[in-house]
Amino acid sequence: MRTLKYAILGLLNQKEMTGYDLMKQFESTLCEFWSAKHSQIYPELKKLTEEGSITYHQESSDNGLEKKLYHITPEGQQDFMTWLSSETPTQPTPKDISRLKIFFCSCLSPEDRRFMLEEQVYRHTARLKHLQNNQKKFSQVPDSNSDEFGDYLVLMGAIMREEMMIEWLRKSISLLN
């Protein structure tokens, strides 16, 4: 399955965008749970255009160059909605190097074990602050029918994930004694 295809279709289902605009969405909003590089996005746009899922029109940009403004076709929208409505199988647990190291922490001295766990608390606390800062773009919970609602839910989940990780790490530290 070409999941990138559906990420792009979903973004274009919200509004027309250039390839650059799509790339910015992956770097800002979607980066909390999905990534794509410039080198992946543009070939996928070409495939989607060839398949008839999207189309584009050219517009002049501020610098005088032409830019392609992509939008979803009815066929693309139907394909996206079919994918969105389909069952999502449980994903395998992602690889996590820090948890793998914690699994083997008994090989370390007690001081190094504590340092390892405290370093992870520090890193996850910094990540939590970053996510909470991102959440400031919402003055309130968006309407459940708005495009921003899903962004809000995913951000809320990322914040809760980091809070639980910090709680687990602190409990782990307390068990060192």
Side-chain angles (χ1 to χ4, degrees):
M1 177 191 323
R2 291 172 22 219
T3 307
L4 177 58
K5 165 186 176 174
Y6 295 108
I8 290 172
L9 288 176
L11 289 169
L12 294 177
N13 193 52
Q14 293 178 345
K15 65 180 183 178
E16 293 182 328
M17 291 187 210
T18 64
Y20 179 79
D21 295 333
L22 287 163
M23 195 172 59
K24 286 298 176 196
Q25 286 293 311
F26 279 99
E27 292 173 356
S28 61
T29 308
L30 300 181
C31 70
E32 299 303 331
F33 57 92
W34 203 263
S35 64
K37 297 179 178 133
H38 176 275
S39 61
Q40 297 170 298
I41 293 170
Y42 285 94
E44 190 63 39
L45 286 170
K46 185 174 192 254
K47 284 182 197 172
L48 289 168
T49 302
E50 291 169 354
E51 293 169 357
S53 296
I54 64 172
T55 189
Y56 65 87
H57 62 272
Q58 302 242 14
E59 275 189 4
S60 294
S61 64
D62 296 337
N63 60 10
L65 299 173
E66 293 286 313
K67 64 181 180 180
K68 292 179 181 177
L69 192 59
Y70 293 92
H71 59 272
I72 195 166
T73 63
E75 294 82 8
Q77 190 173 41
Q78 182 178 358
D79 187 17
F80 171 71
M81 293 306 293
T82 299
W83 171 81
L84 189 59
S85 303
S86 67
E87 185 177 326
T88 304
T90 302
Q91 300 295 302
T93 303
K95 295 177 182 178
D96 185 332
I97 296 170
S98 63
R99 285 181 189 246
L100 183 61
K101 287 183 175 187
I102 291 169
F103 182 83
F104 293 112
C105 74
S106 62
C107 298
L108 297 171
S109 69
E111 298 80 22
D112 288 343
R113 267 182 257 161
R114 178 175 295 280
F115 178 80
M116 174 194 288
L117 293 168
E118 288 174 349
E119 179 188 31
Q120 288 299 311
V121 168
Y122 173 80
R123 291 180 187 279
H124 286 279
T125 300
R127 182 75 180 142
L128 176 60
K129 287 178 183 174
H130 168 76
L131 293 168
Q132 289 169 331
N133 190 51
N134 284 352
Q135 193 178 37
K136 290 178 183 175
K137 66 184 173 184
F138 300 105
S139 58
Q140 61 187 21
V141 177
D143 180 86
S144 63
N145 294 319
S146 71
D147 291 337
E148 293 81 26
F149 186 66
D151 182 11
Y152 181 84
L153 293 178
V154 170
L155 187 54
M156 179 180 65
I159 289 169
M160 292 173 72
R161 176 194 65 222
E162 293 303 322
E163 289 170 340
M164 290 304 299
M165 183 66 139
I166 293 166
E167 182 180 334
W168 170 67
L169 289 163
R170 286 186 175 145
K171 175 140 181 127
S172 299
I173 292 168
S174 75
L175 294 173
L176 291 175
N177 299 327

